[in-house]
Amino acid sequence: MLKRLFDVLFSVTAGLLALPVLIILAIAVRIVLGSPIMFSQERAGKERRPFRMKKFRSMTTAVDPDGKLLSDDERTGKFGGLLRRSRLDELPELWSIVVGDMSVIGPRPILLDKIHTLGERGILRCSVRPGLTGWAQINGNTKLTDDEKVDLDIWYIENRTCLMDAEIIAKTVLVMIFGERRNEKRLAAAVLAASSRDTPRKDQCKAR
């Protein structure tokens, strides 16, 4: 209940403070990338309940001569890359926190079909509300493999505290300013914990 209260107070306050930024970003996205301004996609919430996650669009709809969409990197560009590195594209997710689909801190929301790929680990990962930022995001994020992210997410779920949540919020700001960096020590602890469970990682499943 306290976590939910914090989520609502944080997201409402942050949303009001960020309102001018939201308006400026919406105009910038419309000018640089065109319509639609928002990217909307169905993701898995707590207990695998689906919800629509929205964030500012960061990619163009550019296609190759055959009419196929170009790669994500080719369609992102400098403007989209800036939005992603600064995490500003995720500001609209504050509304998902207000309505209870997400939390400020937690594993990032994943696609519904990926839960099946992850097996029991995917179900465990969805035992809490997905977050705006999380343990994996401050310990490497895009520099991590999918399995490493899941290991860190599950380690957080099993060991989370209020102090850890406060650290995640503080370090998220630092990541936005200075960029991402792998934390090998924390990653090793998460992988070690994963190896002691009866829920094999994806690479272990392939080996079998």
Side-chain angles (χ1 to χ4, degrees):
M1 290 179 65
L2 288 175
K3 184 174 176 63
R4 177 62 187 147
L5 178 61
F6 169 78
D7 284 343
V8 173
L9 292 176
F10 180 94
S11 54
V12 170
T13 303
L16 291 174
L17 293 174
L19 187 57
V21 178
L22 286 164
I23 294 173
I24 292 172
L25 286 176
I27 295 172
V29 171
R30 178 66 178 83
I31 294 173
V32 178
L33 300 177
S35 295
I37 294 173
M38 295 289 182
F39 168 79
S40 177
Q41 190 176 56
E42 191 171 68
R43 298 290 179 97
K46 184 178 180 181
E47 306 302 340
R48 292 167 284 167
R49 289 191 296 269
F51 74 97
R52 300 298 300 184
M53 186 192 77
K54 292 186 178 182
K55 57 183 181 178
F56 283 120
R57 182 176 161 211
S58 59
M59 291 190 293
T60 68
T61 55
V63 296
D64 63 18
D66 296 324
K68 295 181 180 180
L69 283 173
L70 297 176
S71 68
D72 288 357
D73 288 340
E74 292 176 303
R75 291 188 294 127
T76 300
K78 293 182 179 180
F79 176 72
L82 176 62
L83 283 179
R84 291 189 171 190
R85 283 193 301 273
S86 64
R87 309 286 179 87
L88 292 174
D89 62 322
E90 295 172 3
L91 283 177
E93 293 170 34
L94 290 170
W95 176 248
S96 295
I97 299 174
V98 173
V99 299
D101 290 329
M102 291 178 60
S103 177
V104 176
I105 308 297
R108 289 292 296 161
I110 59 175
L111 296 171
L112 290 163
D113 58 3
K114 192 167 185 179
I115 299 174
H116 176 72
T117 303
L118 293 172
E120 292 181 34
R121 299 169 76 232
I123 295 173
L124 179 57
R125 193 181 182 279
C126 290
S127 62
V128 299
R129 284 189 180 92
L132 185 65
T133 185
W135 197 240
Q137 281 61 56
I138 66 166
N139 288 302
N141 198 26
T142 60
K143 298 182 182 297
L144 302 169
T145 66
D146 287 344
D147 265 326
E148 289 172 337
K149 290 179 183 178
V150 175
D151 287 340
L152 286 164
D153 287 334
I154 295 178
W155 189 92
Y156 165 79
I157 291 171
E158 295 177 339
N159 298 276
R160 64 191 187 277
T161 64
C162 292
L163 184 61
M164 189 182 298
D165 284 357
E167 179 186 351
I168 291 172
I169 292 174
K171 289 194 173 179
T172 295
V173 177
L174 295 179
V175 169
M176 292 172 66
I177 298 172
F178 299 108
E180 298 168 343
R181 183 181 301 175
R182 285 172 61 97
N183 189 317
E184 299 297 344
K185 182 178 179 179
R186 286 177 172 172
L187 179 57
V191 172
L192 179 62
S195 66
S196 66
R197 300 190 198 96
D198 294 327
T199 51
R201 300 166 90 238
K202 184 167 60 179
D203 51 5
Q204 292 172 331
C205 291
K206 289 180 180 179
R208 293 180 182 180

